[in-house]
Amino acid sequence: MLSSKKILVFAVAALFCLTTSNTFAQQSSSKNQNADIRGYDNPSRTGPQLSPEKQEQIRKKVDTLRIWRLTETLKLDSESSAKLASILSSHDRQRGNLFRERRETMRALRTAVTSKKPDEAKLQTLLDQLETNHRSTQELTEIEWKSLQGILNTEQQARFVIFQQDFRRDIQKMISSARGTEHGKGPVSGHAQNQ
């Protein structure tokens, strides 16, 4: 049986394929809502392109790995694990939609502000959309946290917060390391996460 570390390495290798693609799951498919690795929006990146179906398969595998590791870390029974998976999946989908909206609005804002004579009304509309998106993202985070408090005790909540940070950091490090190795350079820096 594979250890959780080996499974994580496998999942990250699959994710690396996504991050080198112009069709990265968060950027091209309305189906993909992976909240753990967002913020890679570099249109100059080249690499093999994966179909939306393949991206969705990989996203599901990573989600499964995350729930499996959370279940172990938080020592959840099967009922609590199922509830946690349902909450995270639902909120990840919504967060993915908000992320795409924000990215599209930012692209429109960049275009609008670099025109010869920027239209102030259009700029204000785009700024208002960004503010609404920001508020919606904050509200979603609060709703998600309240939902989690309903199924996790205080210690489990603390372990969940630490797990999320560690899982995200580990994946980012592995992706950066894999990118550096593939391109013959050291680890790539500067890919901050938006979430």
Side-chain angles (χ1 to χ4, degrees):
M1 183 167 184
L2 292 175
S3 70
S4 64
K5 188 163 187 158
K6 287 180 182 177
I7 293 172
L8 179 61
V9 169
F10 173 76
V12 169
L15 284 172
F16 173 67
C17 294
L18 286 176
T19 60
T20 59
S21 169
N22 287 336
T23 58
F24 181 64
Q26 283 298 327
Q27 298 171 3
S28 67
S29 171
S30 62
K31 293 181 181 178
N32 299 325
Q33 296 83 24
N34 186 349
D36 293 326
I37 53 167
R38 292 193 175 90
Y40 299 97
D41 190 15
N42 184 349
S44 66
R45 221 174 255 140
T46 59
Q49 294 191 1
L50 299 175
S51 69
E53 294 79 17
K54 185 67 174 174
Q55 292 171 16
E56 180 68 6
Q57 287 174 358
I58 292 171
R59 185 196 63 79
K60 284 180 179 179
K61 286 179 184 178
V62 172
D63 286 350
T64 300
L65 172 66
R66 180 174 62 147
I67 293 300
W68 177 68
R69 288 193 56 206
L70 270 169
T71 298
E72 268 189 354
T73 300
L74 305 181
K75 298 176 175 54
L76 298 175
D77 58 30
S78 58
E79 182 181 341
S80 296
S81 179
K83 286 179 183 176
L84 179 69
S86 176
I87 289 169
L88 294 178
S89 176
S90 170
H91 290 105
D92 283 352
R93 256 186 252 105
Q94 294 173 59
R95 192 174 287 108
N97 291 336
L98 288 167
F99 173 80
R100 279 185 293 281
E101 288 173 13
R102 181 175 63 241
R103 189 186 69 247
E104 289 165 10
T105 305
M106 281 300 298
R107 285 181 181 160
L109 185 65
R110 287 179 194 278
T111 301
V113 81
T114 57
S115 66
K116 287 188 178 184
K117 189 173 180 185
D119 179 346
E120 290 209 15
K122 184 173 184 174
L123 292 176
Q124 188 59 57
T125 298
L126 292 168
L127 290 170
D128 291 345
Q129 288 173 359
L130 286 172
E131 178 62 26
T132 299
N133 182 282
H134 178 71
R135 279 197 210 115
S136 296
T137 301
Q138 287 182 315
E139 288 171 12
L140 180 63
T141 299
E142 290 172 17
I143 291 167
E144 180 180 52
W145 183 245
K146 285 180 183 174
S147 298
L148 291 172
Q149 288 175 317
I151 61 168
L152 302 177
N153 65 35
T154 304
E155 181 183 344
Q156 289 171 325
Q157 291 170 36
R159 290 183 185 280
F160 175 84
V161 170
I162 292 167
F163 172 89
Q164 289 287 91
Q165 184 179 28
D166 291 349
F167 189 76
R168 185 178 300 123
R169 185 191 62 229
D170 290 347
I171 287 178
Q172 288 176 336
K173 281 182 181 177
M174 289 183 196
I175 290 171
S176 292
S177 177
R179 279 190 184 137
T181 301
E182 180 186 71
H183 299 301
K185 301 175 185 173
V188 176
S189 62
H191 293 291
Q193 182 167 3
N194 287 343
Q195 297 296 324

